[in-house]
Amino acid sequence: MDATTPNSQRRPFSIKLWPPSENTRRMLVERMTNNLSSPTIFTRKYRSLSKEDAAKNAEQIEDAAFTIASQHYEKEPDGDGSSAVQLYAKECSKLILEILKKSPKTEKKETSISEVVPAVQQNLFDISKGQRAFIEAEEAEELLKPLKEPGNPYSRICFSNRSFGLGAARVAGPILASLKDQLMEVDLSDFVAGRVEAEALDVMNMFSEALEGSSLKFLNLSDNALGEKGVRAFGKLLQSQTNLEELFFINDGISQEAARAVSELVPSTEKLKVLHFHNNMTGDEGALAIAEIVKRSPLLEDFRCSSTRVGSEGGSALCEALGMCSHLKKLDLRDNMFGPEAGLVLSKALSKHENLTEVYLSYLNLEDEGAIAIANALKDSAPSLGVLEMAGNDITEEAAPAIASCIAAKQFLSKLSLGENELMDEGAIQIGKALRGHNHLKEVDMNTNALRRAGARVLARTVLHKDQFKLLNVNGNFISEEGVDELKDIFKKSPELLASLEDNDPLGEDGDDEEEEKESGDEGKDGEDELESKLKNLDVKGDEES
C-alpha cells in the first residue's frame, strides 16, 4: 500500500469501516431472517414470519439500508465510515420493527418490504450490488426486465459496477430511450470497466443517444477513464441537459482537453448545485476550463476539485471563480499544488461565503502566508462552519494565532484537522485554548506536528469532557513516555477517544518502515473485524429506542 500523496507527503493510515464485505452483508441477512422468523419480545403484539418470507424481507431490508448508508457515506468519502455503519444498523433495526408492526397476530396478510421502505428507495433501480462483473446481452435481458414493465416507478437508475459490452448496450439502449421522460437520476459510473477503448466508446455513444433529451437532475459518469474521447462520446446526452443539479466526473482521466470538452458540452449549469472533479489529471489548463463552468453555476453549493494536479495559476482561476458562487456550502480542493499565491486568492473568495459549513484545504502547499490569509477570511465569514481541514500545508506556529482566532469564532465546529504541519507545542496550546467553548466538537487531528507533552496535554484536557467528542489524534509526534502515560491516564475512563499512539517517537527518531508496511497490510482485516463487531448485536429495538 502506498502511503504517500502525489506530492510525496506521508499520510497516516486509517481504518475504513465502509463498505462492508459481502460476507458481512450475508451474515446480517441471516441474523435478520432469524429475528423475523423466531419468537421475539414482541410476540404478544406481532407474529413472526415464515422462514421463506423472513428471508425475502431480510434481503430487501439489508439492500434498502445499505443504499441509505452508502448515500450517507458518499457525502463524507474521507471519513472512516463509522457513521455509515451506525446508520446501516439503525435502518435495519427500524425496518425489521416496521415489518413486524404490520404483521399483528390477528392478521393473516403477509407484509412486504415495499410497504415500509421509503418511496425514494422504491423508485431506484440498482444493479450495482455484488461483485464487479461483465454483463452481456442475455444477462442484460433478464436483469433489466423490471424496467420494461408498463407503469414501472423507476425515476432513478444505477448501472454502476457492471461492465456493459456492445450486446448488453444494444439491449439497454431501447429500454433507456423508452424511460427517458421519467428519469431524473442516472448513475453510469464504472460501467465499461475492462473493455477495450473502441468498444467502450461505442457503448458510451449508445447510452448517450438513448438518454438524449432526458431532463436529468443527477448524472454520474465517474470511474470510466473517459479522457476527451469519452467526454465527447457522451456529447449528445450532455448537450441536451438543461436542468442538471448534480454532476460527477470522478477518477475519469480528465485532462486539460477533456476539461475543455466538458465546459463546451455542458451548455447550461444555471441550476447546478453539486459539481465534483476528483482524482483526475486536469492540471492548470484544465482548471481554467473548469473555472468557466464554475462561473456559469451561480447556485453551486458543493464543489470538489481534489487530487487534480492543479498548480498556482489554475488554482487562482478556480478560486476567483468560486467568489461568484454565493450559495457555496461545501468546498473540497485537497491535494493540489496551489501554493501561497492561490491561497491568497482563495481567501478573498472565502470572505464572501456566509453559508459554508465544510472546508477541505489539506495538502495545498499553502504555507503560513496562505493559511493566515484563509484563517482571517473565515474568521469573519461562514458563521456555521462545522468542518475545517488544513492538514499537510507546512503551517508553523507563526500561523497559530490567526488559526486559533478563526477557530474561536466557529462555535459550531465539529471537526478540525491540522495534521502533518509544524505547529509544535506553542501552536497546539493556542489552538487547544481556542477550542474550549466548542460544545459541538467531535474530532481533532493534530498528528505529526512535532508536539511534545505540553501541547498534547492541553489538547487532551480541552476535549475530554465535551459531550459529543469522538476522537483526538496526536499520533506521530514526539511525546515522551511519561507524556504518553499521562494521556492514557487522562482518557482512562474513555480510552476510545484517544487515537493510537503507535507512531509516536519520544526521541524524535524516524519510525520503522517495515512495521508501517505491516500495519498497512493488516488495515483491511482490522476494519472488517471492527465493522462486524459493530453489527453483531443488531436486534429489534422497541418503540422507545427506535
Side-chain angles (χ1 to χ4, degrees):
M1 176 176 175
D2 184 2
T4 59
T5 71
N7 298 327
S8 297
Q9 294 164 306
R10 185 166 295 278
R11 298 186 180 180
F13 295 114
S14 61
I15 294 175
K16 297 288 186 181
L17 301 180
W18 196 263
S21 70
E22 288 301 308
N23 285 336
T24 298
R25 295 181 66 186
R26 283 195 296 270
M27 170 201 74
L28 190 56
V29 169
E30 291 174 4
R31 188 168 295 125
M32 289 191 293
T33 299
N34 290 332
N35 279 340
L36 288 165
S37 61
S38 304
T40 71
I41 59 174
F42 300 100
T43 51
R44 284 195 286 264
K45 290 176 65 177
Y46 314 119
R47 67 180 176 84
S48 56
L49 305 183
S50 68
K51 198 74 174 178
E52 181 181 352
D53 288 320
K56 178 180 178 181
N57 278 283
E59 288 184 3
Q60 293 174 324
I61 287 171
E62 191 280 332
D63 186 66
F66 180 86
T67 301
I68 291 170
S70 294
Q71 291 172 346
H72 171 82
Y73 180 66
E74 283 298 318
K75 297 176 183 178
E76 289 293 344
D78 295 299
D80 66 1
S82 59
S83 61
V85 171
Q86 293 170 3
L87 181 60
Y88 181 47
K90 179 181 177 182
E91 288 296 322
C92 286
S93 181
K94 181 179 75 174
L95 291 173
I96 290 172
L97 183 57
E98 289 299 320
I99 285 288
L100 292 174
K101 280 182 176 180
K102 288 183 176 290
S103 301
K105 282 184 144 183
T106 57
E107 292 286 339
K108 292 184 179 180
K109 178 185 175 185
E110 295 293 351
T111 303
S112 167
I113 187 67
S114 63
E115 297 179 47
V116 297
V117 175
V120 69
Q121 294 304 120
Q122 296 179 41
N123 67 21
L124 170 64
F125 182 81
D126 187 355
I127 63 172
S128 67
K129 305 299 186 295
Q131 295 297 317
R132 196 180 192 197
F134 278 22
I135 179 173
E136 304 301 341
E138 185 176 351
E139 185 183 0
E141 287 277 7
E142 183 64 27
L143 202 57
L144 304 183
K145 269 184 181 179
L147 295 177
K148 299 172 70 174
E149 295 177 1
N152 73 72
Y154 302 115
S155 60
R156 305 160 62 226
I157 60 171
C158 178
F159 285 179
S160 180
N161 204 42
R162 301 301 297 272
S163 179
F164 282 74
L166 287 172
R170 292 189 183 103
V171 172
I175 295 174
L176 292 178
S178 69
L179 291 174
K180 65 182 177 183
D181 290 339
Q182 72 187 59
L183 290 177
M184 299 179 66
E185 299 186 12
V186 171
D187 186 342
L188 298 179
S189 59
D190 194 23
F191 86 122
V192 290
R195 304 290 178 177
V196 297
E197 181 182 273
E199 182 180 24
L201 291 172
D202 284 343
V203 170
M204 292 176 192
N205 272 301
M206 289 181 188
F207 275 75
S208 178
E209 290 177 3
L211 293 167
E212 182 182 9
S214 56
S215 183
L216 303 179
K217 290 187 176 181
F218 173 104
L219 178 60
N220 190 350
L221 299 178
S222 302
D223 298 304
N224 284 311
L226 295 176
E228 182 185 10
K229 292 179 182 178
V231 171
R232 295 197 179 279
F234 278 112
K236 291 182 178 180
L237 170 59
L238 292 171
Q239 286 181 314
S240 67
Q241 300 306 304
T242 58
N243 292 309
L244 275 178
E245 294 181 5
E246 300 182 49
L247 181 59
F248 299 84
F249 288 97
I250 296 173
N251 192 31
D252 270 333
I254 300 293
S255 61
Q256 63 184 55
E257 295 82 8
R260 283 196 289 264
V262 174
S263 181
E264 170 193 332
L265 293 171
V266 183
S268 174
T269 56
E270 292 181 357
K271 299 180 181 180
L272 201 63
K273 295 181 180 179
V274 180
L275 178 61
H276 281 203
F277 289 86
H278 167 68
N279 196 29
N280 287 300
M281 48 185 184
T282 311
D284 279 346
E285 292 297 323
L288 297 177
I290 295 173
E292 292 302 313
I293 303 174
V294 172
K295 289 178 183 177
R296 303 197 301 264
S297 308
L299 300 181
L300 199 61
E301 297 178 359
D302 180 349
F303 179 64
R304 186 182 189 190
C305 191
S306 50
S307 300
T308 46
R309 306 184 187 180
V310 176
S312 180
E313 180 184 1
S316 296
L318 278 176
C319 295
E320 185 176 352
L322 287 168
M324 303 179 187
C325 304
S326 60
H327 297 273
L328 202 64
K329 296 179 181 179
K330 182 177 179 180
L331 176 62
D332 186 348
L333 299 171
R334 281 173 285 191
D335 196 15
N336 285 298
M337 299 169 283
F338 281 19
E341 297 83 1
L344 294 175
V345 179
L346 178 59
S347 69
K348 295 178 182 178
L350 293 176
S351 66
K352 304 174 184 178
H353 293 308
E354 292 296 312
N355 300 313
L356 274 173
T357 59
E358 300 178 38
V359 177
Y360 302 91
L361 305 176
S362 298
Y363 308 103
L364 291 176
N365 300 326
L366 294 174
E367 300 178 6
D368 285 338
E369 183 182 8
I372 291 170
I374 288 169
N376 288 337
L378 286 174
K379 177 185 176 182
D380 298 322
S381 63
S384 299
L385 189 67
V387 177
L388 176 60
E389 290 196 8
M390 296 177 69
N393 275 302
D394 294 324
I395 302 171
T396 73
E397 68 269 27
E398 183 180 335
I403 295 173
S405 181
C406 171
I407 291 169
K410 305 304 163 190
Q411 292 299 307
F412 293 99
L413 196 68
S414 63
K415 180 178 180 180
L416 175 66
S417 176
L418 291 167
E420 298 183 64
N421 284 301
E422 300 169 26
L423 287 162
M424 308 184 74
D425 277 352
E426 181 179 346
I429 290 170
Q430 293 181 65
I431 288 164
K433 291 179 179 179
L435 290 169
R436 285 178 178 171
H438 289 54
N439 296 323
H440 299 275
L441 197 64
K442 295 180 180 179
E443 183 176 341
V444 173
D445 188 346
M446 289 283 287
N447 82 85
T448 321
N449 261 288
L451 304 188
R452 297 188 182 275
R453 183 176 183 175
R457 180 173 55 218
V458 169
L459 290 170
R461 289 176 175 172
T462 296
V463 303
L464 180 61
H465 298 296
K466 295 186 182 296
D467 292 340
Q468 300 183 48
F469 196 75
K470 302 295 183 184
L471 190 67
L472 171 66
N473 184 2
V474 288
N475 200 13
N477 285 300
F478 305 143
I479 306 167
S480 66
E481 292 180 1
E482 294 80 3
V484 169
D485 290 339
E486 183 178 12
L487 289 177
K488 291 180 178 179
D489 186 62
I490 290 172
F491 287 101
K492 63 183 176 182
K493 293 183 179 180
S494 48
E496 73 280 2
L497 302 185
L498 180 64
S500 167
L501 293 169
E502 290 183 0
D503 293 330
N504 178 67
D505 186 352
L507 301 178
E509 296 174 354
D510 292 336
D512 188 333
D513 290 338
E514 291 183 2
E515 185 63 22
E516 286 184 2
E517 291 174 6
K518 179 179 182 297
E519 287 174 12
S520 68
D522 291 338
E523 173 188 320
K525 182 179 184 299
D526 291 343
E528 192 61 49
D529 288 346
E530 185 171 348
L531 172 62
E532 291 194 19
S533 175
K534 285 177 179 287
L535 294 175
K536 70 180 180 181
N537 295 318
L538 174 69
D539 203 349
V540 184
K541 293 185 171 65
D543 293 343
E544 308 81 32
E545 294 175 332
S546 61

